[in-house]
Amino acid sequence: MHELGRLEDLPPDYVDELRKLNLVPLWPSLRAVLPPGKPRPNTKPTFWSYQALRPLLMRAGELTPMQKAERRVLVLANPGHGLDNMKASAAMYLGMQLLLPGEWAPSHRHTPNAVRMIVEGEGAYTTVDGEKCPMSRGDLILTPSGLWHEHGHDGTEPVVWLDVLDLPLVYYMETSYAIEGKRQDVKPERGDVAYARGGIVPTPVFTRADKPYPMLRYPWVEARAALLALGTDRPGQDCVQVSYVNPETGGYAENILGFYALMLRPGQTLRLPARSPASVFHVIEGGAAAEIDGQHFNLAEADTCCAPGYTPVTLRNTSADQPSFVFIADETPLHKKLGVFETRE
Ligand SMILES: [Fe+2]
């Protein structure tokens, strides 16, 4: 690939004249915006220890009352993007959120899509679009774009969850905003009850099947049982993974980011090929060692790491006799919609 002319090669008065007219020459920047062969992601392999961040999150609970925080969150920021930009990857935002007993995070709705992966504690709930979703460890709760949501806590211990949002993308598109609302009235129907059995869905005539998000809570007890059943049914299969989908359409649970649960068999090493989307790995149960672009992370329960796109990832179950369970979030739906998704061996 031959060298292109640099900005310094041009006469300064010529460049000034261009800039006065809001013009720039492409060729000095062409290789930066269209790098040869593969992108040069800013996303760096990054690890966040739950044990290290937990005391700081609890301290935030002492330092900042809910009225001053609205959402009490420590953002898991990728240094490759600059910490203040609050990105885990180009399209993903991660935050650890703390809700103390008796607290209430007021109702709002916003354009970015969110999910919560519950990390610890019992007794909290999220009301989404009038549906009260109990929060237990490992549960996934959707708060898709535009739906009212608020968090409450009737238990006795702190509750922590991992928020995953497509905020960086929606912000980049200049479409990010929120609206504050009143406390929601809880309606009787629950998607996680109506859609509790895989392959069996309510007959539309009796239900609100026209809801774009018919299921808002995916209980961990169901996802875990599905992984164990899949692993038993397919003993020769390497990647024992399930996807969180919309039970009416079979498509991704949300529009922009994809969510999955993976089981690593005891002692298993799993090599995931390089794919265009960036990924986030969060250990729900057990432990996993991750190798990403030559970096090694040892993930214990509740630890999180992220991998840039176009990078192979190796995950190893650190236990020889117990399975480990990993929650994965990635940018696959976005890449597929945009037509840029690819896998490389
Ligand atoms: Fe929110």
Side-chain angles (χ1 to χ4, degrees):
M1 191 162 279
H2 58 272
E3 284 279 306
L4 297 177
R6 299 169 305 164
L7 198 61
E8 305 87 274
D9 301 338
L10 297 169
D13 62 311
Y14 172 71
V15 175
D16 284 349
E17 203 170 332
L18 288 177
R19 297 193 74 85
K20 276 186 204 137
L21 297 170
N22 296 323
L23 298 168
V24 283
L26 172 61
W27 59 96
S29 306
L30 183 65
R31 298 278 190 254
V33 292
L34 286 170
K38 69 178 258 217
R40 295 178 195 150
N42 288 320
T43 305
K44 301 274 177 261
T46 306
F47 168 74
W48 297 273
S49 156
Y50 187 63
Q51 204 192 348
L53 76 81
R54 189 183 185 281
L56 297 167
L57 186 57
M58 295 302 151
R59 195 149 166 237
E62 294 159 19
L63 292 170
T64 308
M66 204 44 138
Q67 302 86 298
K68 293 276 180 191
E70 207 165 293
R71 297 293 191 266
R72 193 191 290 112
V73 178
L74 293 181
V75 178
L76 281 55
N78 192 305
H81 288 279
L83 296 182
D84 292 329
N85 289 314
M86 301 194 298
K87 299 177 178 188
S89 71
M92 289 190 284
Y93 156 105
L94 300 175
M96 280 287 178
Q97 182 157 173
L98 169 67
L99 196 66
L100 294 169
E103 285 187 333
W104 180 62
S107 189
H108 72 181
R109 61 191 179 102
H110 40 69
T111 43
N113 295 273
V115 299
R116 337 264 159 220
M117 164 53 52
I118 317 310
V119 176
E120 73 163 76
E122 292 288 331
Y125 59 88
T126 293
T127 304
V128 191
D129 194 25
E131 198 172 308
K132 189 173 176 177
C133 301
M135 301 170 101
S136 281
R137 184 163 163 262
D139 289 353
L140 184 76
I141 293 169
L142 310 186
T143 59
S145 180
L147 297 193
W148 293 109
H149 55 280
E150 62 200 76
H151 312 295
H153 190 351
D154 298 332
T156 55
E157 298 297 321
V159 166
V160 178
W161 62 82
L162 176 68
D163 289 315
V164 187
L165 278 78
D166 48 31
L167 177 64
L169 176 77
V170 177
Y171 183 80
Y172 172 76
M173 294 193 302
E174 301 184 331
T175 51
S176 181
Y177 69 95
I179 296 172
E180 290 180 20
K182 310 190 295 285
R183 202 164 198 138
Q184 299 170 72
D185 293 326
V186 174
K187 299 174 201 159
E189 294 177 7
R190 288 255 309 258
D192 59 336
V193 176
Y195 292 88
R197 301 283 176 270
I200 299 171
V201 299
T203 304
V205 69
F206 300 118
T207 64
R208 302 174 295 172
D210 55 341
K211 288 175 86 175
Y213 301 98
M215 193 162 163
L216 296 167
R217 173 176 180 257
Y218 296 74
W220 173 234
V221 65
E222 300 292 351
R224 190 182 193 280
L227 287 167
L228 288 168
L230 183 61
T232 304
D233 184 60
R234 300 175 191 185
Q237 186 168 312
D238 278 343
C239 189
V240 184
Q241 183 175 305
V242 293
S243 302
Y244 293 95
V245 300
N246 179 321
E248 285 288 350
T249 65
Y252 292 102
E254 287 188 341
N255 283 327
I256 293 177
L257 302 180
F259 307 101
Y260 322 85
L262 167 73
M263 181 177 81
L264 295 168
R265 299 176 196 273
Q268 183 185 1
T269 297
L270 179 66
R271 286 179 186 82
L272 303 170
R275 299 151 67 251
S276 53
S279 305
V280 164
F281 303 93
H282 171 82
V283 173
I284 300 176
E285 264 185 68
E291 186 189 343
I292 305 161
D293 207 14
Q295 297 214 46
H296 296 259
F297 305 127
N298 219 335
L299 285 83
E301 254 169 39
D303 288 350
T304 307
C305 72
C306 84
Y310 296 88
T311 307
V313 174
T314 301
L315 296 173
R316 181 172 56 82
N317 185 348
T318 48
S319 167
D321 51 18
Q322 294 295 322
S324 66
F325 296 93
V326 182
F327 169 64
I328 301 174
D330 77 4
E331 302 163 334
T332 295
L334 173 67
H335 283 214
K336 290 196 168 168
K337 285 189 174 96
L338 297 180
V340 299
F341 180 87
E342 59 175 302
T343 300
R344 295 186 180 185
E345 283 310 322

